[in-house]
Amino acid sequence: MPERTFVVEGARFTAPAAAPGLHIVATPIGNLGDITLRALRTLAGVDAVAAEDTRHTGRLLAHFEIEAHLLRYDEHGAAAQRPKILARLEAGGSVALVSDAGTPLISDPGYRLVGEARDAGHAVHVVPGPSAPVAALSVSGLPTDAFLFAGFLPPKQGARRTRIGELAAVPATLVFFEAPHRLGETLADLAAELGARHGAVARELTKRFETVERGTLDALAAQFAQGEVKGEIVILVGPPGRAAAMDEGEVDALLAAALARLPASAAAADVAKATGLNRRDLYRRALELKG
Ligand code: SAM
């Protein structure tokens, strides 16, 4: 049985044995100082730690000098690994589930394991902590009263645009994960599909090169169109203007009013700015109204 201790800044602490059951333990998204005291106690106090990548988690545990029995629980082997973890729970053991970074299950493996553990009557405990979507939302300066976390968008452009279109009318701030090499094209698609909405790109949160860029989607798309971007990224899009709640008649009325003083393209741009609706769609409709 490994010693149930951990070390923080040179001081060694003893952890109590963890309660039986599955412990969902959040870990830092970059800065190791963000680990919680309960996370350390739990990781040192469980019988086994199930990790997405045992080498990666091994380094985290080594940093805090935690001796743990590591098991693998990753996307590809989950179906085969689940029964072994459930058997440990059945025998009265305690298992912590961690992912590479942040909160397990948030775009990471684990929801079937939690479901099956609960269905089998085992205790499931949460040890909350860092998570990139909430960290990004909290520093973005975009509305936080309602938000929709939509994970990763599809990598292929057609499917990505369809998905963005499905989310266009959601009256909430949208939160996406994105890989650095796709940032430019995804921002361009968001701008094309969602019109003049505000957004933010949060990069390398809690790390040395943390940045948060804010602007309209058009401006962000232009900013990130060229050049290689590095690091881990969350994209946020502010909620639609009044557009989500408007019917076609209301949009036509706004366009007609704008057309009375402006040419079609300027009228479309004006209404797009006011409503967050797509400028190209509005231009097409403006031409129809004129014609
Ligand atoms: N479960 C994790 C969580 O709760 O944060 C998210 C896992 S998901 C597979 C990994 C993605 O989260 C990355 O591709 C990136 O989009 C985002 N991410 C993770 N760490 C980040 C950081 N420090 N700054 C910005 N985004 C981050």
Side-chain angles (χ1 to χ4, degrees):
M1 180 65 65
E3 259 193 90
R4 298 188 192 279
T5 63
F6 60 90
V7 172
V8 180
E9 294 177 354
R12 185 172 292 277
F13 299 87
T14 302
L22 183 63
H23 300 253
I24 307 302
V25 181
T27 57
I29 57 169
N31 188 325
L32 292 185
D34 292 336
I35 191 108
T36 68
L37 187 52
R38 274 189 74 217
L40 290 171
R41 280 193 182 134
T42 306
L43 294 172
V46 287
D47 302 325
V49 175
E52 209 184 342
D53 177 338
T54 50
R55 274 175 48 195
H56 184 98
T57 298
R59 286 195 289 275
L60 175 79
L61 297 175
H63 180 85
F64 294 104
E65 298 187 30
I66 294 173
E67 285 179 28
H69 180 69
L70 276 164
L71 310 171
R72 205 176 171 95
Y73 191 74
D74 59 8
E75 208 173 298
H76 304 294
Q81 292 148 356
R82 223 163 19 247
K84 295 179 196 159
I85 295 176
L86 291 169
R88 282 178 169 269
L89 301 180
E90 196 59 49
S94 56
V95 179
L97 176 71
V98 298
S99 58
D100 284 354
T103 299
L105 283 81
I106 308 302
S107 287
D108 273 334
Y111 90 91
R112 286 201 176 85
L113 177 62
V114 169
E116 289 184 25
R118 285 196 175 281
D119 289 348
H122 303 306
V124 181
H125 315 271
V126 67
V127 183
S131 194
V134 172
L137 185 66
S138 69
V139 285
S140 69
L142 293 168
T144 53
D145 50 342
F147 68 94
L148 185 134
F149 170 59
F152 288 95
L153 283 164
K156 295 217 170 110
Q157 189 179 50
R160 183 163 62 223
R161 286 211 171 192
T162 303
R163 179 68 182 135
I164 295 170
E166 287 166 1
L167 298 169
V170 174
T173 293
L174 304 176
V175 185
F176 303 98
F177 287 157
E178 192 48 284
H181 63 278
R182 271 198 288 271
L183 178 63
E185 52 190 272
T186 293
L187 286 170
D189 286 345
L190 286 166
E193 291 294 323
L194 302 181
R197 281 163 68 167
H198 284 273
V201 174
R203 237 170 0 132
E204 293 287 274
L205 294 172
T206 78
K207 303 188 207 176
R208 186 161 168 213
F209 296 109
E210 171 177 310
T211 58
V212 177
E213 306 288 343
R214 285 157 47 82
T216 60
L217 291 175
D218 275 338
L220 288 170
Q223 182 178 345
F224 288 103
Q226 261 135 32
E228 202 188 327
V229 176
K230 288 206 175 92
E232 300 202 272
I233 293 164
V234 180
I235 301 176
L236 305 103
V237 180
R242 292 190 291 127
M246 289 171 81
D247 63 26
E248 275 176 28
E250 286 176 282
V251 176
D252 282 357
L254 278 180
L255 269 177
L259 281 169
R261 54 192 170 81
L262 296 166
S265 65
D270 206 47
V271 176
K273 199 167 169 204
T275 61
L277 286 169
N278 183 294
R279 186 158 49 87
R280 280 182 308 169
D281 293 345
L282 288 167
Y283 179 61
R284 232 174 283 130
R285 182 65 186 146
L287 293 180
E288 281 171 14
L289 289 177
K290 272 182 79 166

